[in-house]
mmCIF file of all heavy atoms in Angstrom:
data_model
loop_
_atom_site.group_PDB
_atom_site.id
_atom_site.type_symbol
_atom_site.label_atom_id
_atom_site.label_comp_id
_atom_site.label_asym_id
_atom_site.label_seq_id
_atom_site.Cartn_x
_atom_site.Cartn_y
_atom_site.Cartn_z
ATOM 1 N N TYR A 1129 40.772 -34.635 22.863
ATOM 2 C CA TYR A 1129 41.308 -34.997 24.188
ATOM 3 C C TYR A 1129 41.391 -33.731 25.031
ATOM 4 O O TYR A 1129 42.029 -33.800 26.075
ATOM 5 C CB TYR A 1129 42.790 -35.622 24.058
ATOM 6 C CG TYR A 1129 42.771 -36.845 23.345
ATOM 7 C CD1 TYR A 1129 43.140 -36.888 21.932
ATOM 8 C CD2 TYR A 1129 42.485 -38.099 23.918
ATOM 9 C CE1 TYR A 1129 43.112 -38.106 21.260
ATOM 10 C CE2 TYR A 1129 42.458 -39.309 23.181
ATOM 11 C CZ TYR A 1129 42.826 -39.336 21.935
ATOM 12 O OH TYR A 1129 42.839 -40.555 21.217
ATOM 13 N N SER A 1130 40.685 -32.669 24.625
ATOM 14 C CA SER A 1130 40.905 -31.400 25.283
ATOM 15 C C SER A 1130 40.284 -31.453 26.672
ATOM 16 O O SER A 1130 40.784 -30.714 27.582
ATOM 17 C CB SER A 1130 40.385 -30.202 24.514
ATOM 18 O OG SER A 1130 39.042 -30.306 24.215
ATOM 19 N N HIS A 1131 39.320 -32.298 26.903
ATOM 20 C CA HIS A 1131 38.695 -32.265 28.288
ATOM 21 C C HIS A 1131 39.649 -32.983 29.265
ATOM 22 O O HIS A 1131 39.562 -32.800 30.525
ATOM 23 C CB HIS A 1131 37.376 -33.120 28.292
ATOM 24 C CG HIS A 1131 37.473 -34.567 27.851
ATOM 25 N ND1 HIS A 1131 37.817 -34.880 26.541
ATOM 26 C CD2 HIS A 1131 37.426 -35.664 28.551
ATOM 27 C CE1 HIS A 1131 37.925 -36.195 26.493
ATOM 28 N NE2 HIS A 1131 37.641 -36.679 27.684
ATOM 29 N N LEU A 1132 40.711 -33.652 28.670
ATOM 30 C CA LEU A 1132 41.819 -34.295 29.625
ATOM 31 C C LEU A 1132 42.997 -33.292 29.554
ATOM 32 O O LEU A 1132 43.968 -33.614 30.202
ATOM 33 C CB LEU A 1132 42.192 -35.629 29.097
ATOM 34 C CG LEU A 1132 41.074 -36.679 29.010
ATOM 35 C CD1 LEU A 1132 41.455 -37.779 28.163
ATOM 36 C CD2 LEU A 1132 40.622 -37.033 30.359
ATOM 37 N N GLY A 1133 42.937 -32.189 28.943
ATOM 38 C CA GLY A 1133 44.145 -31.344 28.788
ATOM 39 C C GLY A 1133 44.924 -31.573 27.533
ATOM 40 O O GLY A 1133 45.977 -31.016 27.288
ATOM 41 N N GLY A 1134 44.549 -32.598 26.708
ATOM 42 C CA GLY A 1134 45.228 -32.934 25.494
ATOM 43 C C GLY A 1134 44.727 -32.160 24.280
ATOM 44 O O GLY A 1134 43.934 -31.275 24.360
ATOM 45 N N PRO A 1135 45.286 -32.634 23.031
ATOM 46 C CA PRO A 1135 44.886 -31.906 21.842
ATOM 47 C C PRO A 1135 43.541 -32.294 21.315
ATOM 48 O O PRO A 1135 42.877 -33.281 21.717
ATOM 49 C CB PRO A 1135 45.987 -32.351 20.846
ATOM 50 C CG PRO A 1135 46.502 -33.730 21.373
ATOM 51 C CD PRO A 1135 46.262 -33.639 22.884
ATOM 52 N N ASN A 1136 43.005 -31.450 20.414
ATOM 53 C CA ASN A 1136 41.730 -31.658 19.750
ATOM 54 C C ASN A 1136 41.918 -31.977 18.370
ATOM 55 O O ASN A 1136 42.349 -31.096 17.615
ATOM 56 C CB ASN A 1136 40.820 -30.417 19.939
ATOM 57 C CG ASN A 1136 39.462 -30.631 19.382
ATOM 58 O OD1 ASN A 1136 39.170 -31.682 18.709
ATOM 59 N ND2 ASN A 1136 38.555 -29.760 19.528
ATOM 60 N N PHE A 1137 41.653 -33.218 17.842
ATOM 61 C CA PHE A 1137 41.892 -33.586 16.501
ATOM 62 C C PHE A 1137 40.625 -33.652 15.693
ATOM 63 O O PHE A 1137 40.557 -34.241 14.651
ATOM 64 C CB PHE A 1137 42.577 -34.974 16.414
ATOM 65 C CG PHE A 1137 44.019 -35.044 17.069
ATOM 66 C CD1 PHE A 1137 44.286 -35.863 18.116
ATOM 67 C CD2 PHE A 1137 44.941 -34.192 16.480
ATOM 68 C CE1 PHE A 1137 45.472 -35.928 18.696
ATOM 69 C CE2 PHE A 1137 46.264 -34.210 17.114
ATOM 70 C CZ PHE A 1137 46.487 -35.160 18.205
ATOM 71 N N GLN A 1138 39.541 -32.977 16.166
ATOM 72 C CA GLN A 1138 38.289 -33.028 15.460
ATOM 73 C C GLN A 1138 38.383 -32.380 14.005
ATOM 74 O O GLN A 1138 37.520 -32.780 13.074
ATOM 75 C CB GLN A 1138 37.151 -32.395 16.277
ATOM 76 C CG GLN A 1138 36.714 -33.315 17.461
ATOM 77 C CD GLN A 1138 35.790 -32.527 18.270
ATOM 78 O OE1 GLN A 1138 35.745 -31.341 18.440
ATOM 79 N NE2 GLN A 1138 34.936 -33.369 19.001
ATOM 80 N N GLY A 1139 39.356 -31.538 13.902
ATOM 81 C CA GLY A 1139 39.524 -30.826 12.584
ATOM 82 C C GLY A 1139 40.235 -31.719 11.471
ATOM 83 O O GLY A 1139 40.289 -31.337 10.398
ATOM 84 N N TYR A 1140 40.760 -32.790 11.928
ATOM 85 C CA TYR A 1140 41.591 -33.704 10.990
ATOM 86 C C TYR A 1140 40.784 -34.887 10.484
ATOM 87 O O TYR A 1140 39.802 -35.349 11.249
ATOM 88 C CB TYR A 1140 42.780 -34.204 11.708
ATOM 89 C CG TYR A 1140 43.809 -33.133 12.149
ATOM 90 C CD1 TYR A 1140 43.600 -32.486 13.375
ATOM 91 C CD2 TYR A 1140 44.988 -32.962 11.361
ATOM 92 C CE1 TYR A 1140 44.648 -31.609 13.747
ATOM 93 C CE2 TYR A 1140 45.928 -32.020 11.735
ATOM 94 C CZ TYR A 1140 45.702 -31.353 12.889
ATOM 95 O OH TYR A 1140 46.634 -30.405 13.314
ATOM 96 N N ASP A 1141 41.141 -35.336 9.305
ATOM 97 C CA ASP A 1141 40.562 -36.586 8.925
ATOM 98 C C ASP A 1141 41.793 -37.533 8.717
ATOM 99 O O ASP A 1141 42.871 -37.284 9.152
ATOM 100 C CB ASP A 1141 39.690 -36.464 7.594
ATOM 101 C CG ASP A 1141 40.248 -35.688 6.537
ATOM 102 O OD1 ASP A 1141 41.378 -36.114 6.045
ATOM 103 O OD2 ASP A 1141 39.760 -34.594 6.056
ATOM 104 N N ASN A 1142 41.594 -38.606 7.858
ATOM 105 C CA ASN A 1142 42.753 -39.605 7.746
ATOM 106 C C ASN A 1142 43.702 -39.357 6.728
ATOM 107 O O ASN A 1142 44.662 -40.161 6.523
ATOM 108 C CB ASN A 1142 41.992 -40.933 7.464
ATOM 109 C CG ASN A 1142 41.342 -41.488 8.737
ATOM 110 O OD1 ASN A 1142 41.910 -41.897 9.725
ATOM 111 N ND2 ASN A 1142 40.015 -41.442 8.696
ATOM 112 N N ARG A 1143 43.636 -38.233 5.943
ATOM 113 C CA ARG A 1143 44.599 -37.983 4.909
ATOM 114 C C ARG A 1143 46.051 -37.671 5.419
ATOM 115 O O ARG A 1143 46.163 -37.048 6.427
ATOM 116 C CB ARG A 1143 44.176 -36.866 3.994
ATOM 117 C CG ARG A 1143 42.988 -37.276 3.125
ATOM 118 C CD ARG A 1143 42.403 -36.081 2.344
ATOM 119 N NE ARG A 1143 41.795 -35.067 3.243
ATOM 120 C CZ ARG A 1143 41.319 -33.757 2.989
ATOM 121 N NH1 ARG A 1143 41.468 -33.490 1.667
ATOM 122 N NH2 ARG A 1143 40.749 -33.106 3.767
ATOM 123 N N VAL A 1144 46.983 -38.289 4.674
ATOM 124 C CA VAL A 1144 48.399 -38.023 4.987
ATOM 125 C C VAL A 1144 48.660 -36.548 4.365
ATOM 126 O O VAL A 1144 48.264 -36.288 3.304
ATOM 127 C CB VAL A 1144 49.339 -39.107 4.274
ATOM 128 C CG1 VAL A 1144 50.749 -38.803 4.644
ATOM 129 C CG2 VAL A 1144 48.966 -40.461 4.804
ATOM 130 N N PHE A 1145 49.460 -35.809 5.171
ATOM 131 C CA PHE A 1145 49.810 -34.457 4.625
ATOM 132 C C PHE A 1145 51.052 -34.007 5.245
ATOM 133 O O PHE A 1145 51.622 -34.688 6.217
ATOM 134 C CB PHE A 1145 48.644 -33.428 5.003
ATOM 135 C CG PHE A 1145 48.561 -33.133 6.445
ATOM 136 C CD1 PHE A 1145 49.123 -32.083 7.019
ATOM 137 C CD2 PHE A 1145 47.864 -33.951 7.266
ATOM 138 C CE1 PHE A 1145 49.058 -31.748 8.389
ATOM 139 C CE2 PHE A 1145 47.713 -33.655 8.631
ATOM 140 C CZ PHE A 1145 48.353 -32.574 9.249
ATOM 141 N N THR A 1146 51.640 -32.958 4.555
ATOM 142 C CA THR A 1146 52.962 -32.432 5.121
ATOM 143 C C THR A 1146 52.752 -31.010 5.652
ATOM 144 O O THR A 1146 51.890 -30.239 5.166
ATOM 145 C CB THR A 1146 54.075 -32.379 4.076
ATOM 146 O OG1 THR A 1146 53.567 -31.559 2.911
ATOM 147 C CG2 THR A 1146 54.497 -33.771 3.593
ATOM 148 N N ARG A 1147 53.430 -30.654 6.705
ATOM 149 C CA ARG A 1147 53.380 -29.333 7.203
ATOM 150 C C ARG A 1147 54.646 -29.070 7.951
ATOM 151 O O ARG A 1147 55.166 -29.916 8.690
ATOM 152 C CB ARG A 1147 52.262 -29.193 8.280
ATOM 153 C CG ARG A 1147 52.048 -27.811 8.895
ATOM 154 C CD ARG A 1147 50.910 -27.710 9.664
ATOM 155 N NE ARG A 1147 50.694 -28.786 10.718
ATOM 156 C CZ ARG A 1147 49.671 -29.014 11.375
ATOM 157 N NH1 ARG A 1147 48.561 -28.413 11.086
ATOM 158 N NH2 ARG A 1147 49.630 -29.954 12.419
ATOM 159 N N ASN A 1148 55.309 -27.934 7.570
ATOM 160 C CA ASN A 1148 56.588 -27.556 8.149
ATOM 161 C C ASN A 1148 57.717 -28.659 8.017
ATOM 162 O O ASN A 1148 58.432 -28.921 8.884
ATOM 163 C CB ASN A 1148 56.540 -27.093 9.626
ATOM 164 C CG ASN A 1148 55.413 -25.996 9.803
ATOM 165 O OD1 ASN A 1148 55.293 -25.248 8.908
ATOM 166 N ND2 ASN A 1148 54.871 -26.029 10.946
ATOM 167 N N GLY A 1149 57.589 -29.348 6.741
ATOM 168 C CA GLY A 1149 58.681 -30.363 6.549
ATOM 169 C C GLY A 1149 58.431 -31.683 7.308
ATOM 170 O O GLY A 1149 59.210 -32.604 7.213
ATOM 171 N N ILE A 1150 57.258 -31.817 7.966
ATOM 172 C CA ILE A 1150 56.946 -33.059 8.642
ATOM 173 C C ILE A 1150 55.810 -33.721 7.911
ATOM 174 O O ILE A 1150 54.788 -33.109 7.631
ATOM 175 C CB ILE A 1150 56.539 -32.840 10.130
ATOM 176 C CG1 ILE A 1150 57.684 -32.054 10.940
ATOM 177 C CG2 ILE A 1150 56.173 -34.112 10.819
ATOM 178 C CD1 ILE A 1150 58.914 -32.882 11.294
ATOM 179 N N THR A 1151 55.922 -34.982 7.679
ATOM 180 C CA THR A 1151 54.893 -35.798 6.996
ATOM 181 C C THR A 1151 54.005 -36.374 8.088
ATOM 182 O O THR A 1151 54.478 -37.154 9.022
ATOM 183 C CB THR A 1151 55.475 -36.865 6.146
ATOM 184 O OG1 THR A 1151 56.190 -36.300 5.140
ATOM 185 C CG2 THR A 1151 54.309 -37.763 5.496
ATOM 186 N N HIS A 1152 52.683 -35.939 8.237
ATOM 187 C CA HIS A 1152 51.862 -36.423 9.266
ATOM 188 C C HIS A 1152 51.010 -37.649 8.673
ATOM 189 O O HIS A 1152 50.277 -37.520 7.691
ATOM 190 C CB HIS A 1152 50.871 -35.327 9.722
ATOM 191 C CG HIS A 1152 51.681 -34.251 10.390
ATOM 192 N ND1 HIS A 1152 51.835 -34.305 11.775
ATOM 193 C CD2 HIS A 1152 52.169 -33.064 10.001
ATOM 194 C CE1 HIS A 1152 52.417 -33.208 12.188
ATOM 195 N NE2 HIS A 1152 52.794 -32.521 11.173
ATOM 196 N N ILE A 1153 51.108 -38.695 9.338
ATOM 197 C CA ILE A 1153 50.365 -39.927 8.984
ATOM 198 C C ILE A 1153 49.432 -40.209 10.171
ATOM 199 O O ILE A 1153 49.907 -40.710 11.102
ATOM 200 C CB ILE A 1153 51.311 -41.198 8.758
ATOM 201 C CG1 ILE A 1153 52.361 -40.806 7.727
ATOM 202 C CG2 ILE A 1153 50.466 -42.372 8.246
ATOM 203 C CD1 ILE A 1153 53.490 -41.885 7.425
ATOM 204 N N PRO A 1154 48.139 -39.998 9.952
ATOM 205 C CA PRO A 1154 47.263 -40.053 11.132
ATOM 206 C C PRO A 1154 47.047 -41.591 11.558
ATOM 207 O O PRO A 1154 47.138 -42.457 10.572
ATOM 208 C CB PRO A 1154 45.923 -39.530 10.726
ATOM 209 C CG PRO A 1154 46.321 -38.544 9.579
ATOM 210 C CD PRO A 1154 47.502 -39.259 8.870
#
Side-chain angles (χ1 to χ4, degrees):
Y1129 298 98
S1130 58
H1131 62 292
L1132 301 167
N1136 182 353
F1137 296 121
Q1138 286 173 332
Y1140 293 84
D1141 53 57
N1142 287 287
R1143 286 173 293 173
V1144 179
F1145 68 97
T1146 57
R1147 183 169 54 197
N1148 302 331
I1150 303 284
T1151 299
H1152 292 272
I1153 309 174

